[in-house]
Amino acid sequence: MKYLLLLFAVTLIGSGVTLFAQNKIAAVAVHIQVEPDVVLAPIADDFMGLGYETSAVARNGYFSPKNAHLVQLYRTLSAHGLVRIGGNISDHARYVPEGVPAARSERETTVINQATLTDLGEFLRATGWKAMWGLNLGTGTKAEAVQEALAVQAALGDRLQSFEIGNEVDLLPRSKHAYTNYFAAYQEYKAAIRQALPTAVFSGPDVASATRWTEYFSRTEAEDMKLLTHHYYRSGAMKPDATIETLLAPDPQWESTLRVLEQTCADHQIAFRINEVNSFYGGGKAGVSDTFASALWCLDYMFRIATHQGGGVNLETDVNQLAFVSHYSPIFRDANDQLTARPEYYGMLAFAISGHGQLVKLAVSKSDLNLTAYATKNGSGDIWVTVINKDLTRPATLEIAMPENYSVASAYRLTAPSAESKNLVTLAGKEISENGSWTPEVTEPVPVKAGWAGLQLPATSAVLVHLR
C-alpha cells in the first residue's frame, strides 16, 4: 500500500502536480519566471482610488479632517490617491451655497452646500488625495453647473483633479442613446464652465458600457482632457450569475473592452481610468460582494487594469444611489457611522504594497488552475511577484526563478478561513487596526534553492513575494 501511494505521488509530480500531504487535495505545480528589464507599463502614482455618490458629500462630518478613522484608512492605502465623486446622484444633485445639506436617493434631490465642500477640501488635504468631481448633466442646468464648478474649485483648490460632465452618459435620457446628443450638451456645458473658469480640467465621457463613445470622444477631446473614463461591474446583484464563482472567473468580454481602451489611448496619447467599478451593480450581492472572494477579485482586477496601461481604478464605496451602504463597499459605515474595513479593502491594500513602480514581464507555466500572477519593480529595484489563486479547491506549489542579482525572498500572505469569509481576513498576519492603520506582523522567509524560491499557495488565497 505504501508503495502504491508513493507511486501515485511520483506520477502526480511528473505530471505537474504535487501533494501537500496524505488525504489532501493535490497541489498544482506552477513555475514563474520574471524578466525585470522588460517593462510592460508604468503604474501611476495615483492609481489607487475610491468612488462615491455625490450624496456622500452631503453627510455632515463624513468627508471631514475630523473624521480621523476615515483619514487613516485613506492614508493606509496611499499618500496620493484619487477620489471620484459622482455616480447616479450627481445627475440628481444641486449645489445651494447656504442650503441645508441632504443626502437622498436618486428618486429625490441631494443638496450640497459650501460648508460640505469646504470640509471635503480639508479632508483631501489631510489625506493627500485629489478628487474627480461629476457635474449634473441629467437634471440640472448649464448655469447651475457653472455655479457648482466654481464652488468646487474654490473649496478644493489644488486637490481638484478634474471635472466630469454627466454620469453614465450613454444611459442618460437626454442623450437618447445617441452620442451626438450627448456630445452637443457636453460642449455647451464645457464652454460655459471654461468662460467662468478658464483653467478648468475635464475627464470623460464616463460611459457605463458604450465603449465606442470613448473612441468618438477621444478623436475630438484627446488634447483637452485629463483622463478617458469608463465604468465596469461584473454583473447585476439581482442576476442569477451574481455568485462567487462568477466573480472569480475570467471575463473575456471585459478583456476585449480593455484592449479597445488600451488601443484608443495609444492612438491618441492619453490615459484611461475605470473610475466606477465594483463586483455587482445594484449595491452588490450579500454573501458574495462582502466576502473574501471580493478581496481576491479586487487585487486581480487592479493588476488587470495596470496590464492594459490603465491609469487607475475607483472602487465604489459607501452609500449608493438607492440610499443604502452597498454590500460591495470596501469601507463599510454602519448606522452609528462606525467604519469597518471589509475584505475588499484588503485586496486594495495588497495592491498598495506590490503595485508600485513598473509592471514587468512575467511568464507562468500553463495549467488549468484559476491562478494569475504579476510582477512589479519599484524605484529601489526590488521586485514584487503577486500570485492570486482564485481556484476554490486546489492549492498550488509555486517555484519562482530568482532573476540575476536577486538572492533573498520573503512573502506576505492574503488569507481568510474561506472564500465566503466576511471577517478574519489578514494580510501578512495582521488585520486593519481599529484606527484604520496597518503594519505587517508576519514576514515569511521563502527558501531559495538552486536559484528558485519555493512556497505553497492554498486555494482561494494570494501571496506577495518580495525579491531582493
Side-chain angles (χ1 to χ4, degrees):
M1 183 67 177
K2 290 181 180 179
Y3 172 77
L4 290 176
L5 285 174
L6 178 61
L7 179 62
F8 177 59
V10 171
T11 301
L12 287 174
I13 292 170
S15 62
V17 178
T18 59
L19 288 175
F20 273 170
Q22 189 175 338
N23 299 325
K24 289 195 175 183
I25 295 174
V28 179
V30 176
H31 303 275
I32 297 172
Q33 290 187 301
V34 181
E35 297 184 43
D37 295 327
V38 181
V39 177
L40 302 179
I43 299 177
D45 288 341
D46 63 351
F47 192 99
M48 184 67 62
L50 292 165
Y52 293 82
E53 297 286 329
T54 305
S55 51
V57 179
R59 296 181 180 274
N60 276 320
Y62 185 67
F63 284 122
S64 165
K66 296 179 181 178
N67 190 349
H69 194 176
L70 188 61
V71 169
Q72 184 58 60
L73 284 167
Y74 271 60
R75 292 178 65 86
T76 296
L77 289 178
S78 176
H80 32 62
L82 181 67
V83 183
R84 182 254 185 169
I85 306 293
N88 285 13
I89 298 298
S90 66
D91 284 317
H92 299 273
R94 292 181 60 214
Y95 165 70
V96 182
E98 303 300 328
V100 177
R104 299 190 174 108
S105 77
E106 63 185 351
R107 298 182 182 89
E108 302 174 273
T109 301
T110 286
V111 176
I112 56 174
N113 64 13
Q114 193 61 53
T116 55
L117 287 178
T118 298
D119 274 353
L120 174 62
E122 292 303 316
F123 173 84
L124 293 171
R125 280 180 270 278
T127 61
W129 287 41
K130 291 188 177 183
M132 175 186 289
W133 185 272
L135 298 166
N136 187 341
L137 184 65
T139 63
T141 67
K142 179 174 60 178
E144 288 172 334
V146 171
Q147 182 189 31
E148 184 175 320
L150 288 169
V152 170
Q153 175 65 65
L156 272 57
D158 65 353
R159 297 294 91 192
L160 177 63
Q161 187 255 15
S162 63
F163 290 110
E164 288 197 299
I165 299 173
N167 170 74
E168 296 190 343
V169 294
D170 46 330
L171 304 181
L172 280 181
R174 77 179 291 170
S175 296
K176 298 180 181 178
H177 303 287
Y179 178 78
T180 53
N181 293 339
Y182 152 70
F183 189 59
Y186 174 86
Q187 287 183 306
E188 183 182 353
Y189 272 56
K190 185 178 78 167
I193 294 166
R194 278 272 173 76
Q195 186 173 1
L197 189 61
T199 59
V201 177
F202 296 90
S203 293
D206 200 81
V207 295
S209 58
T211 307
R212 287 180 301 169
W213 288 28
T214 63
E215 297 179 80
Y216 302 152
F217 195 73
S218 299
R219 291 172 191 169
T220 57
E221 300 301 305
E223 295 184 1
D224 190 24
M225 62 189 294
K226 183 72 172 179
L227 289 167
L228 190 69
T229 54
H230 200 295
H231 295 183
Y232 173 78
Y233 291 91
R234 184 65 176 87
S235 187
M238 302 302 292
K239 293 186 176 183
D241 65 347
T243 64
I244 285 177
E245 288 78 7
T246 296
L247 187 61
L248 295 182
D251 187 353
Q253 184 175 350
W254 179 239
E255 284 291 314
S256 177
T257 297
L258 288 175
R259 287 193 291 271
V260 172
L261 290 173
E262 182 178 6
Q263 187 60 55
T264 298
C265 288
D267 291 343
H268 298 283
Q269 297 185 331
I270 53 177
F272 75 88
R273 189 176 185 98
I274 309 304
N275 70 330
E276 181 177 321
V277 53
N278 220 299
S279 55
F280 302 104
Y281 62 80
K285 180 72 173 290
V288 179
S289 302
D290 52 358
T291 67
F292 182 62
S294 72
L296 300 178
W297 166 80
C298 174
L299 176 58
D300 184 58
Y301 183 85
M302 295 180 80
F303 271 110
R304 293 309 306 155
I305 299 303
T307 298
H308 287 280
Q309 310 278 338
V313 302
N314 292 86
L315 275 298
E316 281 293 288
T317 194
D318 205 66
V319 65
N320 56 44
Q321 76 274 17
L322 304 176
F324 69 89
V325 178
S326 297
H327 300 295
Y328 55 55
S329 184
I331 300 173
F332 181 74
R333 177 174 51 81
D334 66 18
N336 298 315
D337 288 334
Q338 297 301 304
L339 302 177
T340 304
R342 275 185 168 169
E344 192 171 271
Y345 183 94
Y346 287 81
M348 299 180 72
L349 180 58
F351 184 87
I353 294 167
S354 61
H356 281 292
Q358 298 173 320
L359 197 68
V360 297
K361 188 175 180 180
L362 171 147
V364 183
S365 59
K366 290 184 178 180
S367 75
D368 63 349
L369 197 66
N370 186 9
L371 177 145
T372 51
Y374 309 92
T376 57
K377 184 169 67 173
N378 63 25
S380 300
D382 290 1
I383 294 171
W384 286 88
V385 178
T386 301
V387 189
I388 308 157
N389 186 1
K390 295 174 289 178
D391 200 287
L392 293 174
T393 59
R394 293 181 296 170
T397 297
L398 304 181
E399 290 190 345
I400 304 172
M402 297 295 289
E404 187 177 359
N405 299 322
Y406 290 81
S407 59
V408 179
S410 57
Y412 290 173
R413 292 186 181 271
L414 176 60
T415 63
S418 72
E420 296 84 5
S421 297
K422 296 184 178 182
N423 48 41
L424 300 180
V425 179
T426 61
L427 178 60
K430 189 72 175 291
E431 294 182 78
I432 306 299
S433 71
E434 290 186 2
N435 71 354
S437 63
W438 174 87
T439 51
E441 186 171 271
V442 179
T443 301
E444 175 186 334
V446 178
V448 177
K449 295 181 181 179
W452 291 82
L455 68 161
Q456 306 292 340
L457 182 60
T460 54
S461 70
V463 65
L464 318 180
V465 184
H466 186 194
L467 308 182
R468 292 168 289 159

